[in-house]
Amino acid sequence: WNHTCPSHTHSHTHGEGMIQTLARFLREWELDPCVGAVVVKGIGTRAFCAGGDIRSMHAKLTAGQKDYPEMFFRYEYSLNRLIHRLAKPYMALLDGITMGGGAGISVHGSYRVATERTIFAMPETAIGLFPDIGATRFLSTVPGHVGMYLALTGARLRGADLLWTGLATHYVPSKRLPRLMEEITHAERVDHRTLNAALSLVSDDPGPSDLASHANDIDRCFSASSIEEILSRLKAEGTPWAEDTTQTLLRHSPTSLKVTFRQMREGKDL
């Protein structure tokens, strides 16, 4: 299923946009015996889906639609839940920028395929928001305290990082994606066995994860009991990575950092 939004980088918006459209299609396809699996991808090579919900929300609020945020998040989380519970295989090809809402329509699915062009992030604290789209759940599944680090900093991950964290299930070089689609579409029957067989033919090793190389540093600093203590521990590290991370946090919204910290601490046990 392809969704084109020519005005932005495959942004998704509520209303007649992608959230309700995809939800409607998924409900139909789940009941359609002719549909064996769902594969979602972006148009072109720049992005899978980069969100876009904040721009739409700001415009609606400015226009006086005060009930819009509640309505938007209700639709958004309903779609995330639908993807997570879909009875049929759901594969997202993250071949490009995947941020915010783009993570919501990919990470909750059964197959998440990263490529060398993947750039994944949850950048909400930089714009005064908090990681939504069910991020509390999936960021809590990554190793150690890396989920807290990603939620607070909005750090950008590449394919190898996503595979290491488990946010991606497979890594496939972008030039092999056409063959992956060919194997799937030409199969007599499409199910989990078909998808796994097709992926085994095209998957590759992305090499070492830069994120993994900092896992111990992240655990030491981001296991702290407050934002202030995180900053204190980063200062004590005295490394270029720690200094860069500190400057990133200081550029972000203090309120968003506090909200996100509590969100991640309390949400991991839900």
Side-chain angles (χ1 to χ4, degrees), residues 22-157:
L22 180 53
R24 184 176 71 251
F25 279 137
L26 288 177
R27 293 188 182 97
E28 293 174 0
W29 292 335
E30 190 167 36
L31 300 175
D32 189 341
C34 295
V35 176
V38 176
V39 179
V40 293
K41 61 180 182 177
I43 299 297
T45 60
R46 185 183 177 197
F48 168 69
C49 180
D53 19 303
I54 298 303
R55 178 178 296 185
S56 174
M57 189 176 299
H58 180 269
K60 298 287 187 181
L61 286 170
T62 302
Q65 298 185 32
K66 302 301 183 182
D67 60 340
Y68 181 80
E70 180 181 349
M71 179 170 56
F72 172 83
F73 285 117
R74 183 169 65 249
Y75 282 125
E76 182 181 58
Y77 277 93
S78 294
L79 175 60
N80 299 154
R81 181 175 182 271
L82 180 60
I83 292 171
H84 180 67
R85 297 193 173 191
L86 196 69
K88 295 179 178 179
Y90 180 100
M91 178 185 291
L93 305 181
L94 311 183
D95 189 30
I97 298 170
T98 305
M99 296 185 183
I105 61 169
S106 57
V107 176
H108 297 293
S110 42
Y111 299 87
R112 292 91 61 189
V113 179
T115 76
E116 77 281 1
R117 292 194 289 233
T118 304
I119 301 175
F120 181 100
M122 295 298 296
E124 286 79 6
T125 56
I127 56 175
L129 192 62
F130 56 89
D132 57 324
I133 51 86
T136 305
R137 187 197 69 81
F138 66 73
L139 289 179
S140 294
T141 67
V142 304
H145 295 273
V146 172
M148 179 69 82
Y149 165 77
L150 296 176
L152 293 175
T153 65
R156 297 188 174 194
L157 308 186

Side-chain angles (χ1 to χ4, degrees), residues 158-230:
R158 305 307 296 252
D161 302 320
L162 284 177
L163 200 62
W164 177 75
T165 60
L167 296 177
T169 57
H170 299 80
Y171 177 87
V172 176
S174 57
K175 65 182 180 181
R176 297 183 190 173
L177 292 179
R179 184 185 177 190
L180 174 61
M181 292 303 300
E182 183 178 345
E183 292 288 337
I184 295 171
T185 55
H186 289 174
E188 291 186 12
R189 176 185 175 86
V190 179
D191 52 20
H192 284 290
R193 181 177 298 180
T194 307
L195 296 184
N196 285 319
L199 284 163
S200 69
L201 295 174
V202 296
S203 294
D204 205 347
D205 181 357
S209 162
D210 182 63
L211 181 67
S213 70
H214 290 292
N216 290 334
D217 306 324
I218 290 170
D219 283 350
R220 281 195 303 273
C221 297
F222 285 81
S223 58
S225 59
S226 68
I227 295 294
E228 291 81 3
E229 188 179 348
I230 288 175

